[in-house]
Amino acid sequence: MSKVIAGAPGASGSGLRDALSWGARAAASAGKGILGGLGGSLQDRVREVIDGSMAMVQRRIAERLASEETARALGARRLKLFLSTLEKTEAEAAQALSRVPHEHLDSLAPQVIAHNLARPEVREGLKAELHAVLEDLSRHTVGELLEQAGLRDATRQWLHAHGLPFARTLAHSAPFIAWRRSRP
């Protein structure tokens, strides 16, 4: 939450702190104009009070965003969205996806992926899923898997057209010949 409040490093004008600080500066400027020549010490005191108030507001917002209650509410909303998405037709889902601001979200993908991969429960889930998939795949031959996917004949044709010439070139290459001669 401190990163959200402080704004992203190197990003100008971003973050909750910038927005609230702008409001604090505007209020201080208005106070300066109203109070006129009452002196810099009063102006400094007003600035301290406003900064303290803004810090308290920022802290409360951060606590609210980081709370379990907010996490539960967001989880319930995501579940509701997921279930409603399952009831949509493909055309409706495509139309809904076209309204998503991808240009804004795409730039966040590396940060989201890095954040999620840093979470132990996500890593364990991925690891368990990968093991389950590999275990399932290991029960079948490559030929069976290609047959299930309807790719056996296409793969055979591709290997004859591209794999066989590659293998011939490799077998006649100097490094391969040297390697073959070094073998007992």
Side-chain angles (χ1 to χ4, degrees), residues 4-95:
V4 171
I5 289 173
S12 61
S14 64
L16 185 59
R17 169 172 271 147
D18 290 344
L20 294 176
S21 294
W22 178 84
R25 286 190 304 274
S29 295
K32 180 180 178 184
I34 293 171
L35 297 174
L38 291 179
S41 63
L42 183 58
Q43 183 179 0
D44 291 341
R45 181 69 182 132
V46 168
R47 184 176 292 123
E48 287 175 15
V49 169
I50 290 173
D51 285 346
S53 298
M54 286 296 133
M56 187 172 15
V57 168
Q58 291 171 346
R59 211 172 12 262
R60 284 183 183 163
I61 290 171
E63 288 170 0
R64 176 72 180 196
L65 289 173
S67 73
E68 283 294 319
E69 178 184 329
T70 301
R72 277 193 295 275
L74 288 174
R77 286 183 185 170
R78 277 186 251 149
L79 177 63
K80 185 177 178 183
L81 176 67
F82 176 74
L83 294 175
S84 70
T85 302
L86 290 178
E87 296 173 1
K88 293 182 185 233
T89 65
E90 285 183 35
E92 292 169 336
Q95 186 179 22

Side-chain angles (χ1 to χ4, degrees), residues 2 5 114 183:
S2 62
I5 289 173
R183 309 287 298 167

Side-chain angles (χ1 to χ4, degrees), residues 126-141 144-145:
L126 285 172
K127 186 177 173 182
E129 185 65 24
L130 183 61
H131 283 290
V133 167
L134 290 175
E135 185 178 317
D136 183 47
L137 290 175
S138 68
R139 293 184 188 135
H140 307 283
T141 65
E144 290 172 336
L145 294 171

Side-chain angles (χ1 to χ4, degrees), residues 4 15 36 48 62 64 91 99 105 110 112 120 140 142 147 170 172 174-175:
V4 171
E48 287 175 15
R64 176 72 180 196
R99 291 190 302 262
L105 297 178
V112 170
H140 307 283
V142 173
E147 190 68 43
L170 177 65
H172 290 78

